[in-house]
C-alpha cells in the first residue's frame, strides 16, 4: 500500500526535523538540464521532499545516457522531462513537478526559472553553463545559482568539492576534468558531483 | 597588486578583456566576479582592474 501524503511527510520530518521539513516543503528549485547532473539532483531533492521542482530539458533519453543518468531502458526515446517526472512520482508523488520541454537560452532562462528560489545549472556544455550562470547573476541576483564544473573520468572522487564563489553562487566539481579532453563521464563521479550540488541546495533551504 | 582566482598579479589599472586574453581564458566559457560582484559580459571591454581588487574567473569545463 502506498503511504499517504501525511505519512510520507511525517517520515521526512522525523529525519530532517520538523522546522527544516517545513522549509523544504515550501521551496522551489529549478533544475536546468536533466542529464547526469540534473537527473541525480532531482532524485535527491524529491526524496528530501523539496516541495516544487521545475525540470527543464529539450532532449530525449538515449541509450548512451543510461550509464549515468537516472532513466530506465524502457524510457529510451521519451522526453527527459516526462521520463524524469515519471520516475520522481514513483519515489515521491506528493511534490509539485513542473516540466518545460525546451532548450534553455539567454532569452528564456529568466522566465523559465522565475519562480525558483534556487537555480541548479546541470548542463553538459561549458558554454551553456557559463551562459546560465552569467544570466542569473546579472539579471536575477535575488536567486541562488548552483553550478558544477569538472567531474569527468576515474580520478579520485575526493577531488570534487563545493566552493562558495559569492553570496549566492556556489560551484561544485574539481574545476578541471573536462569531458572534451577525451575522458568519459563515469556514473559514480558524476553522482558525487550531483550529490554536492543537491546537498548545497538543501543546506541553503534549511538555513534560510 | 590584484588577486585573480586566488593568485597575485600586477595587473593594476589593466583592462579586464586584455587580462583575460593574456591569461588565455575563453570569454564564452567563463563568469567573472570582481569583489564578489558579477561583471556583465557586455562590460568586459570597459572594466578596469583596480589595486586590491579580488577577481574570480570561473572557467567552466564540459561534462554533466
Amino acid at each position: 500500500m502506498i503511504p499517504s501524503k501525511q505519512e510520507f511527510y511525517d517520515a521526512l520530518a522525523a529525519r530532517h526535523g520538523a522546522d527544516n521539513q517545513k522549509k523544504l516543503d515550501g521551496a522551489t528549485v529549478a533544475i536546468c538540464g536533466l542529464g547526469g547532473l540534473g537527473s541525480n539532483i532531482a532524485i535527491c531533492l524529491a526524496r528530501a521532499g523539496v516541495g516544487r521542482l521545475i525540470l527543464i530539458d529539450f532532449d530525449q533519453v538515449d541509450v548512451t545516457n543510461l550509464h549515468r543518468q537516472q532513466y530506465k531502458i524502457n524510457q529510451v526515446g521519451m522526453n527527459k522531462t516526462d521520463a524524469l517526472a515519471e520516475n520522481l512520482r514513483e519515489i515521491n508523488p506528493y511534490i509539485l513537478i513542473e516540466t518545460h520541454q525546451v532548450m534553455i537560452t539567454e532569452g528564456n532562462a529568466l522566465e523559465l526559472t522565475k519562480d525558483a528560489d534556487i537555480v541548479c545549472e546541470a548542463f553538459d556544455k561549458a558554454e551553456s553553463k557559463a551562459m546560465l550562470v552569467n544570466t542569473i547573476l546579472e539579471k536575477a541576483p535575488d536567486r541562488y545559482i548552483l553550478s558544477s564544473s569538472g567531474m569527468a573520468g576515474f580520478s579520485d572522487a575526493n577531488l570534487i568539492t563545493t566552493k562558495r564563489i559569492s553570496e549566492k553562487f556556489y560551484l561544485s566539481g574539481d574545476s578541471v576534468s573536462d569531458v572534451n579532453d577525451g575522458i568519459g563521464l563515469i556514473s559514480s563521479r558524476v553522482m558525487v558531483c550531483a550529490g554536492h550540488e543537491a546537498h548545497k541546495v538543501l543546506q541553503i533551504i534549511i538555513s534560510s | 597588486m590584484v588577486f585573480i582566482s586566488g593568485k597575485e598579479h600586477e595587473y593594476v589599472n589593466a583592462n579586464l578583456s586584455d587580462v583575460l586574453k593574456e591569461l588565455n581564458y575563453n570569454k564564452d566559457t567563463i563568469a567573472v566576479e570582481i569583489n564578489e560582484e558579477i561583471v556583465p559580459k557586455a562590460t568586459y571591454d570597459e572594466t578596469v582592474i583596480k589595486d586590491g581588487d579580488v577577481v574570480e574567473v570561473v572557467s567552466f569545463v564540459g561534462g554533466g
Side-chain angles (χ1 to χ4, degrees):
Chain A
M1 202 176 96
I2 291 179
S4 69
K5 185 175 185 177
Q6 193 62 47
E7 286 172 306
F8 200 105
Y9 186 92
D10 289 346
L12 290 174
R15 279 154 187 81
H16 300 153
D19 289 348
N20 290 337
Q21 201 56 45
K22 200 171 162 191
K23 289 178 185 173
L24 292 166
D25 188 47
T28 299
V29 178
I31 302 175
C32 301
L34 305 177
L37 286 169
S39 63
N40 281 297
I41 291 168
I43 283 183
C44 289
L45 301 185
R47 287 194 189 281
V50 171
R52 183 177 171 202
L53 299 178
I54 301 168
L55 311 177
I56 314 163
D57 201 305
F58 69 92
D59 208 2
Q60 285 78 40
V61 179
D62 187 83
V63 66
T64 59
N65 302 149
L66 296 179
H67 74 109
R68 72 182 194 285
Q69 305 185 16
Q70 294 293 344
Y71 302 103
K72 304 171 198 170
I73 198 156
N74 63 352
Q75 293 178 319
V76 169
M78 280 179 77
N79 292 332
K80 287 186 176 179
T81 45
D82 297 332
L84 188 58
E86 186 176 280
N87 296 344
L88 296 178
R89 288 195 182 101
E90 287 178 6
I91 292 167
N92 182 352
Y94 303 120
I95 56 171
L96 292 172
I97 297 171
E98 185 181 316
T99 60
H100 298 275
Q101 210 256 322
V102 63
M103 167 105 66
I104 302 176
T105 65
E106 220 175 317
N108 65 15
L110 288 180
E111 177 66 20
L112 286 167
T113 62
K114 68 178 189 305
D115 293 338
D117 312 299
I118 301 171
V119 177
C120 289
E121 177 282 304
F123 293 134
D124 197 36
K125 292 194 175 74
E127 290 81 1
S128 311
K129 290 172 181 289
M131 177 279 293
L132 184 65
V133 168
N134 278 290
T135 302
I136 298 295
L137 287 171
E138 281 179 34
K139 296 179 179 148
D142 55 319
R143 297 175 210 165
Y144 282 89
I145 175 79
L146 276 52
S147 178
S148 284
S149 177
M151 73 220 67
F154 282 106
S155 299
D156 200 331
N158 287 341
L159 297 172
I160 290 173
T161 62
T162 297
K163 285 185 286 198
R164 175 195 180 279
I165 306 296
S166 55
E167 195 193 347
K168 297 204 162 179
F169 175 21
Y170 289 85
L171 184 71
S172 302
D174 69 12
S175 299
V176 291
S177 298
D178 190 338
V179 74
N180 298 315
D181 290 342
I183 40 176
L185 290 159
I186 314 304
S187 63
S188 41
R189 206 158 188 267
V190 174
M191 286 171 80
V192 168
C193 196
H196 266 260
E197 204 172 316
H199 192 66
K200 185 47 73 179
V201 169
L202 300 183
Q203 278 189 321
I204 290 167
I205 294 170
I206 64 157
S207 62
S208 63
Chain B
M1 181 104 63
V2 299
F3 293 87
I4 301 178
S5 298
K7 291 191 186 121
E8 292 179 5
H9 287 273
E10 297 296 334
Y11 295 115
V12 177
N13 298 324
N15 171 281
L16 178 62
S17 273
D18 295 342
V19 171
L20 293 172
K21 203 178 287 175
E22 195 164 319
L23 296 176
N24 286 320
Y25 285 111
N26 173 358
K27 264 178 83 168
D28 294 332
T29 58
I30 57 174
V32 181
E33 293 198 327
I34 298 182
N35 305 324
E36 299 203 1
E37 292 289 333
I38 189 72
V39 182
K41 271 208 174 159
T43 68
Y44 283 5
D45 287 344
E46 65 217 47
T47 298
V48 173
I49 302 173
K50 295 189 285 293
D51 193 22
D53 274 351
V54 177
V55 182
E56 187 66 39
V57 184
V58 175
S59 183
F60 295 94
V61 298

